[in-house]
């Protein structure tokens, strides 16, 4: 690797060396208004030269410089195997670096297209090449813990690292303890004080702190109730569906979409009765508890009196396919409506529907 220092070049200039201009290709010597901050105030043509839109650097012996170049001040550049000054992301050896539009190596925190990176900072005593490396993996700075992907991108939000899931704030700082997941659900990320646990990981598929955490890490009062039911009937979709379809129909109280799945399901778990919204909600929550990509649906089906009537059922996505489960239809008609697709002959005509979650 060749390293050229501007100070050494100036010293050689003062020693009275003379240089011969290249004449085979028209070139432009960098000047103060050329877009490059480093330049030599000299009548001799060495230093930065522009060929078309590309920049090159020549030393005091009029040789093209390749590799790392430490210019005046703290700016560092890299010239590739053709001698051209690089910009943007570059992998050099096994490490990733970032150079701005003028080829200057960037250090510290850098935000690019809404993504954040941290490039190793250094001083004049640091080894060239060590400065500017993109930070990867776990990193602790000022007592705060961060994680960077292989390309250097800072982890934000829920992030899978290896086989475990972690959570990071918008600032990139790792968050521990309870995190609100919305819709009344929460997740828990082990703290250093949690004995026997690898701190920072999301609790999943386990009972901890008197809460049951599903495979996706969610927990709630309803989720814990789901576990109790599934422990009784079996941890599979068919058993959960049969339990929901076996609820008694209740018309005494009007259960509506606006209640939300968790509250609707809680009614079913506590009272063992309810309407189509309650039946769908209990099955949805149990499917979620088992780790399925489930959604409670609100829509309409044909009414016996003509027209349409409000209705609720469940969708589960498996291998890119959407499957329908309608426990209330089974309860009303006695016909199995477990695992079918929209438009299947003999099923209800579902319309005007949307996902509640």
């Amino acid at each position: 690797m060749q390293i050229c220092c501007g100070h050494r070049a100036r010293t050689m200039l003062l020693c009275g060396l003379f240089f011969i201009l290249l004449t085979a290709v028209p070139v432009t010597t960098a000047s103060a208004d050329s877009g490059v901050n480093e330049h030599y105030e000299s009548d001799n043509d060495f230093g930065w030269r522009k060929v078309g839109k590309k920049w090159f650097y020549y030393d005091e012996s009029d040789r093209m410089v390749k590799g790392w170049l430490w210019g005046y001040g703290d700016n560092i550049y890299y010239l590739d195997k053709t001698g051209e000054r690089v910009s943007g992301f570059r992998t050099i050896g096994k490490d990733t670096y970032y150079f701005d539009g003028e080829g200057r190596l960037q250090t510290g925190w850098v935000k690019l297209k809404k993504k954040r990176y941290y490039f190793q900072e250094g001083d004049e005593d640091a080894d060239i090449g060590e400065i500017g490396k993109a930070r990867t993996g776990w990193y602790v700075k000022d007592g705060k813990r961060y994680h960077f992907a292989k390309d250097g991108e800072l982890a934000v939000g829920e992030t899978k690292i290896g086989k475990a899931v972690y959570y990071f704030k918008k600032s990139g700082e790792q968050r521990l303890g309870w995190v609100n997941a919305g819709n009344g659900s929460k997740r828990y990320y082990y703290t250093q004080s949690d004995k026997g646990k690898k701190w920072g990981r999301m609790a999943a598929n386990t009972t901890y702190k008197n809460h049951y955490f599903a495979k996706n890490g969610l927990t709630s009062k309803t989720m814990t109730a789901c576990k109790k039911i599934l422990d009784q009937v079996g941890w599979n979709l068919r058993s959960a569906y049969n339990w929901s379809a076996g609820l008694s129909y209740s018309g005494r109280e009007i259960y509506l979409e606006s209640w939300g799945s968790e509250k609707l399901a809680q009614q079913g778990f506590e009272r063992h009765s309810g309407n189509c919204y309650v039946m769908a909600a209990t099955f949805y929550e149990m499917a979620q508890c088992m780790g399925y990509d489930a959604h409670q649906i609100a829509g309409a089906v044909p009414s016996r009196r003509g027209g349409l009537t409000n209705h609720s059922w469940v969708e589960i996505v498996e291998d890119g396919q959407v499957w329908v489960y309608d426990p209330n239809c089974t309860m009303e008609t006695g016909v199995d409506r477990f695992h079918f697709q929209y438009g299947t002959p003999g099923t209800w005509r579902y319309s005007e529907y949307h996902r509640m979650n």
Side-chain angles (χ1 to χ4, degrees), residues 66 76 256:
K66 298 178 182 179
I76 301 174
L256 302 173

Side-chain angles (χ1 to χ4, degrees), residues 257 293 295-298 315 317 322 353-357:
E257 174 188 353
D293 182 8
H295 306 272
Q296 183 170 359
I297 310 300
E315 288 180 354
V317 182
V322 176
Y353 54 86
H354 62 274
R355 289 178 175 178
M356 293 171 51
N357 37 50

Side-chain angles (χ1 to χ4, degrees), residues 203-220:
N205 197 28
T206 186
T207 299
Y208 187 68
K209 291 184 177 291
N210 297 320
H211 293 271
Y212 173 73
F213 295 88
K215 291 182 179 180
N216 59 7
L218 290 175
T219 188
S220 63

Side-chain angles (χ1 to χ4, degrees), residues 22-28 49-52:
L22 292 176
T23 58
V25 180
V27 298
T28 303
R49 299 182 191 175
K50 188 177 183 182
V51 181

Side-chain angles (χ1 to χ4, degrees), residues 46-263:
F46 72 95
W48 289 109
R49 299 182 191 175
K50 188 177 183 182
V51 181
K53 295 182 179 180
K54 300 179 180 180
W55 286 94
F56 301 85
Y57 191 91
Y58 288 81
D59 66 13
E60 65 277 4
S61 298
D62 204 31
R63 294 173 301 186
M64 180 186 291
V65 175
K66 298 178 182 179
W68 291 104
L69 169 66
W70 200 322
Y72 282 122
D74 295 327
N75 291 330
I76 301 174
Y77 303 87
Y78 188 81
L79 303 116
D80 65 17
K81 61 182 180 180
T82 69
E84 181 185 354
R85 186 185 73 193
V86 303
S87 60
F89 281 101
R90 288 289 173 138
T91 299
I92 302 172
K94 296 182 180 180
D95 299 302
T96 300
Y97 304 82
Y98 183 77
F99 302 84
D100 69 9
E102 294 183 0
R104 295 171 296 199
L105 178 67
Q106 301 298 290
T107 61
W109 289 105
V110 176
K111 187 175 183 180
L112 302 166
K113 296 182 179 180
K114 297 183 179 181
K115 298 179 180 180
R116 294 184 69 201
Y117 303 81
Y118 182 78
F119 300 96
Q120 184 62 47
E121 297 175 279
D123 53 35
E124 60 183 9
D125 295 325
D127 293 334
I128 195 166
E130 289 297 318
I131 301 174
K133 283 184 180 180
R135 178 66 63 177
T136 59
W138 289 103
Y139 178 56
V140 178
K141 182 176 175 60
D142 299 329
K144 299 176 181 179
R145 196 172 185 227
Y146 304 87
H147 189 273
F148 299 86
K150 291 182 179 179
D151 65 355
E153 181 184 349
L154 176 68
V156 176
E158 189 176 292
T159 304
K160 187 174 183 180
I161 302 171
K163 296 182 179 180
V165 177
Y166 301 81
Y167 188 82
F168 302 88
K169 300 178 183 178
K170 290 183 179 180
S171 63
E173 178 185 350
Q174 185 182 11
R175 184 170 177 179
L176 304 173
W178 291 106
V179 174
N180 185 8
N183 296 323
S185 297
K186 299 180 292 184
R187 287 186 170 94
Y188 185 78
Y189 299 85
Y190 295 118
T191 65
Q192 287 179 288
S193 62
D194 293 318
K195 296 180 180 180
K197 305 293 181 180
K198 294 187 177 180
W199 69 286
R201 292 188 177 187
M202 180 181 74
N205 197 28
T206 186
T207 299
Y208 187 68
K209 291 184 177 291
N210 297 320
H211 293 271
Y212 173 73
F213 295 88
K215 291 182 179 180
N216 59 7
L218 290 175
T219 188
S220 63
K221 180 180 179 181
T222 303
M223 197 68 67
T224 302
C226 286
K227 181 181 183 300
K228 292 180 180 180
I229 298 297
L230 292 172
D231 283 344
Q232 295 171 6
V233 303
W235 283 76
N236 60 80
L237 280 180
R238 169 56 80 176
S239 296
Y241 180 86
N242 290 345
W243 190 92
S244 296
L247 293 177
S248 300
Y249 188 85
S250 174
R252 295 181 180 180
E253 188 172 2
I254 300 176
Y255 302 102
L256 302 173
E257 174 188 353
S258 59
W259 282 39
S261 296
E262 184 178 14
K263 185 177 179 180

